[in-house]
Amino acid sequence: MSSWIDGHPAGTLSVKDRGLAYGDGLFETIGVKHGRPQLLERHLARLAEGCARLAMPSDEGLIRTELLAFSAALGEGVAKLILTRGDGLRGYAPPQSAHSRRILQGSSVPAYPTVNAEQGVRLFPCATRLAEQPLLAGLKHLNRLEQVLARAEWQDVEHAEGLMLDVSGRVIEGVYSNLFLVSDGLLLTPDLSRSGVAGVMRAELLSQAERLAIPVSVRDISSVELLEADEVFLCNSLYGVWPVRALQGHDWSVGPLTRKLQTIARDLLDC
Amino acid sequence: MSSWIDGHPAGTLSVKDRGLAYGDGLFETIGVKHGRPQLLERHLARLAEGCARLAMPSDEGLIRTELLAFSAALGEGVAKLILTRGDGLRGYAPPQSAHSRRILQGSSVPAYPTVNAEQGVRLFPCATRLAEQPLLAGLKHLNRLEQVLARAEWQDVEHAEGLMLDVSGRVIEGVYSNLFLVSDGLLLTPDLSRSGVAGVMRAELLSQAERLAIPVSVRDISSVELLEADEVFLCNSLYGVWPVRALQGHDWSVGPLTRKLQTIARDLLDC
């Protein structure tokens, strides 16, 4: 696994980094195919939104240049980009002269079982709930202890993902994916203005649905609505779309809209 | 500023550290006087509780030994201890063979204005609210973006601290201190079972109040109760107790119980 810091090969960073001290930063996990980062514009757009909301300085041109060069060197796999607020002094106050730090880490293509995409996955019902924090909702920031706790809830390979609700009981997302459902022909996905990570594949699928004139609603979703849905599926920017076939005692079959969007996601990731 | 990693002088750590990736770790900020860490047992106890709640492996004996040696080398100042879940692979799941990493950073004695302790401080009313997450409440973990956002709200030196409420409007704490109030002879401090950091000086003062038979209540506190309190003060393990003299248009004078507990805190930190 190779890694670069601020454009140069490096495997270590300063203990003063605010990413370590406070989780004061953002990240993107980007698929790399034929030496090119996939869904690059959407990843950069989300990162830019995160920088704006956290008032974190960044040089988008430099990030793009380094990501392209790193991906070219990696060839095939996954590039993880971490952007932190750089070194800090003691205390939460960001230094006046904060310089963000760019960290790139490469890894191999994930070995997802093909059955996940073909037949669907079983969801583990996580007891860990997501807190409601509108100031951070939607961002892929470095404060991810809730996901660490949720992912530690199951070890078996029967469950490919875990379902996370918020503290009020709303259905929000998977531990590392977004969730969609289909009810009476309507494509639904949870509103992420209080918690959750607004994934780039989620954004892409919402855009594609609009293009195809599929009716879409982004709003609060209850557990009952989830169980009564005709189709349920997960998405993320590495595997595209996985149908959900089971959650505890409940079963779903793989539906036509899931298959349609799965094909679209596959095409997006193949190009 | 010196730093040690796992007992050895080092200024950098692996980019794979889960403290950086997810804020998957804990920290303690410990005053060091005459080469000895102050309130050591309380810091170690809170760290141990954090490790238990996050299911993070740790060697308390080793942490204690290194902290004593580091403090002896530092002499006077502040020792910041960060404990992370060590290196990880890609993904939230903690590795089966996780080895926690111990990071120690030294800094000089903070230059707090003496007027803060003597005449009290003005609180900035932070707009950033604390999310309610019982699974993480009370812990001094590395997911601190809320504090970073709150501390970025003011730059003037007129405000020595910021007041943080939770998303439901309850009074919780300062950005880097705990809050107490005195009403009709009763010592009150917010319940921290949904948000906030349970400070070691807070624990110490609660224990001292019990010893002195001062009536104490730990419960939810509203903004109205805060404004109507007879005395208000802040505490942390570095400066002890600071009276609060103002919040927006409201003023308090420094009360007798505040002074009494301030003297006790000073004695605890002096020894």
Side-chain angles (χ1 to χ4, degrees):
Chain A
M1 294 226 305
S2 63
S3 59
W4 291 6
I5 297 182
D6 291 342
H8 303 286
T12 61
L13 84 167
S14 168
V15 294
K16 296 181 197 167
D17 192 277
R18 289 174 58 96
L20 171 69
Y22 309 126
D24 192 8
L26 300 158
F27 71 111
E28 296 289 331
T29 308
I30 306 166
V32 175
K33 195 157 187 174
H34 308 318
R36 288 197 307 270
Q38 298 173 304
L39 305 174
L40 177 62
E41 299 310 321
R42 288 211 181 266
H43 283 291
L44 290 177
R46 179 172 58 180
L47 191 68
E49 192 203 335
C51 287
R53 285 175 57 189
L54 297 182
M56 189 177 302
S58 83
D59 183 331
E60 192 181 323
L62 205 53
I63 291 169
R64 179 190 296 269
T65 303
E66 288 176 8
L67 200 46
L68 289 169
F70 187 82
S71 299
L74 184 65
E76 309 288 322
V78 175
K80 178 171 177 174
L81 166 66
I82 297 178
L83 186 73
T84 78
R85 210 184 299 262
D87 285 357
L89 310 170
R90 203 183 59 229
Y92 295 119
Q96 294 295 319
S97 60
H99 289 283
S100 61
R101 176 170 283 140
R102 307 171 303 281
I103 302 159
L104 281 163
Q105 295 171 265
S107 58
S108 55
V109 180
Y112 297 124
T114 53
V115 69
N116 290 2
E118 287 169 6
Q119 294 171 35
V121 300
R122 176 177 287 278
L123 283 184
F124 182 86
C126 294
T128 302
R129 300 288 183 98
L130 293 162
E132 296 171 24
Q133 177 48 277
L135 295 175
L136 299 174
L139 302 184
K140 201 163 171 108
H141 55 68
L142 296 175
N143 280 202
R144 299 262 74 103
L145 272 172
E146 291 174 334
Q147 283 72 26
V148 171
L149 292 176
R151 185 59 190 86
E153 289 187 46
W154 82 97
Q155 277 75 43
D156 66 88
V157 294
E158 290 303 298
H159 297 92
E161 242 294 22
L163 174 68
M164 298 196 77
L165 312 182
D166 70 12
V167 290
S168 301
R170 300 179 197 94
V171 170
I172 303 295
E173 62 190 2
V175 178
Y176 42 89
S177 59
N178 287 117
L179 186 98
F180 280 82
L181 34 132
V182 181
S183 281
D184 299 326
L186 181 67
L187 183 67
L188 283 159
T189 195
D191 171 53
L192 302 181
S193 60
R194 296 183 210 88
S195 65
V197 176
V200 298
M201 184 55 83
R202 172 180 179 272
E204 191 61 51
L205 293 180
L206 287 173
S207 162
Q208 294 286 336
E210 190 181 9
R211 187 180 61 84
L212 296 168
I214 297 166
V216 173
S217 180
V218 179
R219 60 165 170 80
D220 291 343
I221 293 173
S222 69
S223 294
V224 172
E225 270 187 294
L226 171 65
L227 294 179
E228 290 177 350
D230 303 317
E231 307 177 34
V232 181
F233 66 89
L234 302 168
C235 70
N236 83 14
S237 66
L238 295 183
Y239 62 66
V241 166
W242 285 349
V244 173
R245 63 176 170 79
L247 170 68
Q248 294 177 292
H250 200 89
D251 294 295
W252 291 273
S253 50
V254 183
L257 191 49
T258 299
R259 285 295 185 216
K260 184 173 194 167
L261 292 169
Q262 186 176 47
T263 303
I264 289 172
R266 190 174 290 136
D267 289 346
L268 285 167
L269 296 177
D270 264 354
C271 62
Chain B
M1 293 225 304
S2 63
S3 60
W4 291 6
I5 297 181
D6 291 343
H8 303 287
T12 62
L13 84 166
S14 167
V15 293
K16 296 180 195 167
D17 192 279
R18 289 174 58 96
L20 171 69
Y22 309 127
D24 192 8
L26 299 158
F27 71 110
E28 295 288 333
T29 307
I30 306 168
V32 175
K33 195 158 186 175
H34 307 318
R36 289 196 307 271
Q38 298 174 303
L39 304 174
L40 177 62
E41 299 311 320
R42 288 209 182 269
H43 282 291
L44 290 176
R46 179 172 60 181
L47 192 68
E49 192 203 335
C51 288
R53 286 176 58 190
L54 297 182
M56 190 177 301
S58 82
D59 184 331
E60 192 180 323
L62 206 53
I63 290 169
R64 179 189 297 268
T65 303
E66 288 175 9
L67 200 45
L68 288 169
F70 187 82
S71 299
L74 184 64
E76 310 289 323
V78 175
K80 178 171 177 176
L81 166 66
I82 298 177
L83 186 73
T84 77
R85 209 185 299 264
D87 283 357
L89 310 170
R90 203 184 58 231
Y92 295 119
Q96 294 295 317
S97 60
H99 289 284
S100 61
R101 176 170 283 141
R102 306 172 302 283
I103 303 158
L104 280 163
Q105 297 171 264
S107 58
S108 55
V109 180
Y112 298 123
T114 53
V115 70
N116 291 2
E118 287 170 7
Q119 295 172 34
V121 299
R122 176 177 287 278
L123 284 184
F124 182 86
C126 294
T128 303
R129 299 289 183 98
L130 293 161
E132 296 172 24
Q133 177 48 277
L135 296 175
L136 299 174
L139 302 184
K140 202 164 169 106
H141 55 68
L142 297 175
N143 279 200
R144 299 261 75 102
L145 272 172
E146 290 174 335
Q147 282 73 26
V148 171
L149 292 177
R151 186 59 190 84
E153 288 187 46
W154 81 96
Q155 277 76 41
D156 66 271
V157 295
E158 290 304 299
H159 297 93
E161 242 293 23
L163 173 68
M164 297 196 76
L165 312 182
D166 70 12
V167 290
S168 300
R170 299 179 197 94
V171 169
I172 303 296
E173 61 189 5
V175 177
Y176 41 89
S177 60
N178 287 118
L179 186 99
F180 281 82
L181 35 133
V182 182
S183 281
D184 298 324
L186 181 67
L187 184 66
L188 283 159
T189 195
D191 172 51
L192 303 181
S193 61
R194 296 183 211 88
S195 66
V197 176
V200 298
M201 185 54 83
R202 172 181 181 271
E204 191 60 54
L205 293 180
L206 288 173
S207 164
Q208 295 286 337
E210 189 181 11
R211 186 178 63 81
L212 296 168
I214 297 165
V216 173
S217 180
V218 179
R219 60 165 171 80
D220 291 343
I221 293 172
S222 68
S223 293
V224 172
E225 270 187 295
L226 171 65
L227 294 180
E228 291 177 349
D230 303 317
E231 306 178 30
V232 181
F233 66 89
L234 302 168
C235 71
N236 84 13
S237 66
L238 296 182
Y239 63 67
V241 166
W242 284 348
V244 172
R245 63 175 170 80
L247 170 67
Q248 294 175 292
H250 201 88
D251 295 294
W252 291 274
S253 50
V254 184
L257 191 49
T258 299
R259 285 295 184 215
K260 184 174 194 165
L261 292 169
Q262 186 176 47
T263 303
I264 289 172
R266 190 174 290 138
D267 289 347
L268 285 167
L269 296 177
D270 263 354
C271 64

